[in-house]
C-alpha cells in the first residue's frame, strides 16, 4: 500500500472587488438640506416641533437645521441602521409634526405608497427631494435608483414643487412640499419666532 500523494495547497481565490461608496463632502450635498430647511421654516418649523427624517442617512438634515438655522426641536431619524426599516413597506409608528424624505423615493419600487403614508402621518407637513428626470438620467446616476419621479407626478400627489441645482446642473433636482394648512404658505414670507422654553422665560434668560 503506497502513501497517498500529497495534494498541493492552492492559494485562496482573491475576493471579488467591492466598489466602496465614497460619501461626498457635506458642502457638495448641502443644497438639498438647505432647500428642505427653507421649506420647513416657511411652514413654521419651531423648537416645539418633532421632525421625522425618513431615510436619514448620515443625519445631515439635522446638522443643517441645528448648525445653520439654530433649530432645537426633536429630530427622529429612520433608516436601516435605526432598526427594522424597509421603506418599501415601512409605516410611520406615530404622527409627527413634520416628515422629511430626501433623496429616497427614487430608490423605491413603489414611492407613492410611502409618500401617502407620510402625508397621512404629518401633523403639519412633508418635504421631499428627488432628482429631476426631465434634466438628468435618474437611473444612470446611481445603480440603486429604481423609479424616476417627475415634478408633475409629485404635483398630482398634492405637493407644491420647485426646481433646484442639487447635483451640479441647473434644475436637476426637485423639491416637493406639502403643508396641511395649505400650499398658500409657500408664497408667504414667514420669519418663524424662535421658541423659548418656559423655564428660560422665568429665569430671565
Amino acid at each position: 500500500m503506497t502513501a497517498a500523494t500529497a495534494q498541493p495547497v492552492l492559494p485562496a481565490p482573491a475576493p471579488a472587488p467591492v466598489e466602496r461608496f465614497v460619501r461626498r463632502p457635506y458642502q457638495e450635498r448641502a443644497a438639498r438640506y438647505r432647500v428642505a430647511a427653507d421649506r420647513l421654516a416657511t411652514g413654521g418649523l419651531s423648537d416645539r416641533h418633532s421632525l421625522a427624517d425618513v431615510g436619514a442617512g448620515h443625519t445631515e438634515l439635522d446638522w443643517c437645521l441645528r448648525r445653520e438655522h439654530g433649530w432645537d426641536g426633536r429630530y427622529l431619524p429612520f433608516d436601516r441602521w435605526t432598526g427594522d426599516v424597509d421603506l418599501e413597506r415601512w409605516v410611520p409608528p406615530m404622527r409627527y409634526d413634520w416628515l422629511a424624505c430626501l433623496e429616497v423615493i427614487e430608490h423605491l419600487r413603489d414611492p407613492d405608497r410611502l409618500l401617502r403614508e407620510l402625508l397621512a402621518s404629518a401633523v403639519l407637513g412633508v418635504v421631499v427631494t428627488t432628482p429631476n428626470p426631465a434634466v438628468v438620467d435618474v437611473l444612470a446616476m446611481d445603480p440603486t435608483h429604481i423609479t424616476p419621479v417627475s415634478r408633475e407626478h409629485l404635483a398630482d400627489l398634492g405637493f407644491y414643487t420647485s426646481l433646484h441645482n442639487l447635483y451640479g446642473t441647473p434644475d436637476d433636482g426637485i423639491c416637493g412640499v406639502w403643508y396641511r394648512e395649505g400650499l398658500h404658505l409657500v408664497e408667504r414670507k414667514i420669519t418663524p419666532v424662535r421658541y423659548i422654553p418656559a423655564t428660560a422665560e422665568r429665569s430671565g434668560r
Side-chain angles (χ1 to χ4, degrees):
M1 210 167 114
T2 59
T5 305
Q7 297 295 319
V9 178
L10 300 176
V18 176
E19 292 186 8
R20 185 175 180 181
F21 174 73
V22 178
R23 188 161 59 104
R24 291 184 297 155
Y26 171 80
Q27 290 301 330
E28 292 185 17
R29 296 172 294 106
R32 68 193 69 171
Y33 308 118
R34 289 168 178 159
V35 167
D38 174 75
R39 293 308 191 203
L40 291 166
T42 297
L45 176 71
S46 81
D47 292 350
R48 298 173 185 258
H49 294 158
S50 61
L51 168 64
D53 190 358
V54 181
H58 295 272
T59 67
E60 286 98 340
L61 177 59
D62 184 44
W63 191 95
C64 176
L65 287 168
R66 296 190 192 282
R67 293 292 296 272
E68 299 186 11
H69 297 270
W71 182 65
D72 196 26
R74 186 181 180 204
Y75 173 84
L76 302 105
F78 292 95
D79 211 322
R80 289 175 294 180
W81 54 269
T82 67
D84 183 18
V85 178
D86 176 0
L87 294 179
E88 293 286 4
R89 56 184 178 83
W90 182 80
V91 175
M94 60 182 289
R95 299 191 76 195
Y96 303 96
D97 294 311
W98 299 96
L99 293 104
C101 189
L102 310 183
E103 312 303 300
V104 170
I105 56 176
E106 63 273 12
H107 296 269
L108 303 178
R109 292 182 178 84
D110 185 8
D112 289 10
R113 186 209 66 84
L114 178 62
L115 290 172
R116 291 191 179 100
E117 292 287 356
L118 301 184
L119 295 176
S121 301
V123 175
L124 297 174
V126 178
V127 61
V128 302
T129 63
T130 191
N132 180 8
V135 174
V136 295
D137 185 341
V138 177
L139 300 182
M141 292 175 68
D142 187 318
T144 65
H145 286 182
I146 299 173
T147 308
V149 180
S150 70
R151 185 180 188 183
E152 292 77 14
H153 188 71
L154 285 174
D156 287 342
L157 293 173
F159 286 88
Y160 175 98
T161 64
S162 52
L163 300 180
H164 307 270
N165 182 341
L166 301 184
Y167 311 97
T169 304
D171 297 342
D172 60 6
I174 304 169
C175 179
V177 66
W178 175 87
Y179 299 131
R180 189 167 295 280
E181 184 178 335
L183 296 180
H184 62 280
L185 289 179
V186 178
E187 310 303 336
R188 192 194 307 168
K189 302 300 182 183
I190 296 177
T191 302
V193 177
R194 183 175 176 81
Y195 169 59
I196 302 175
T199 55
E201 291 174 349
R202 286 195 297 269
S203 65
R205 289 187 285 115

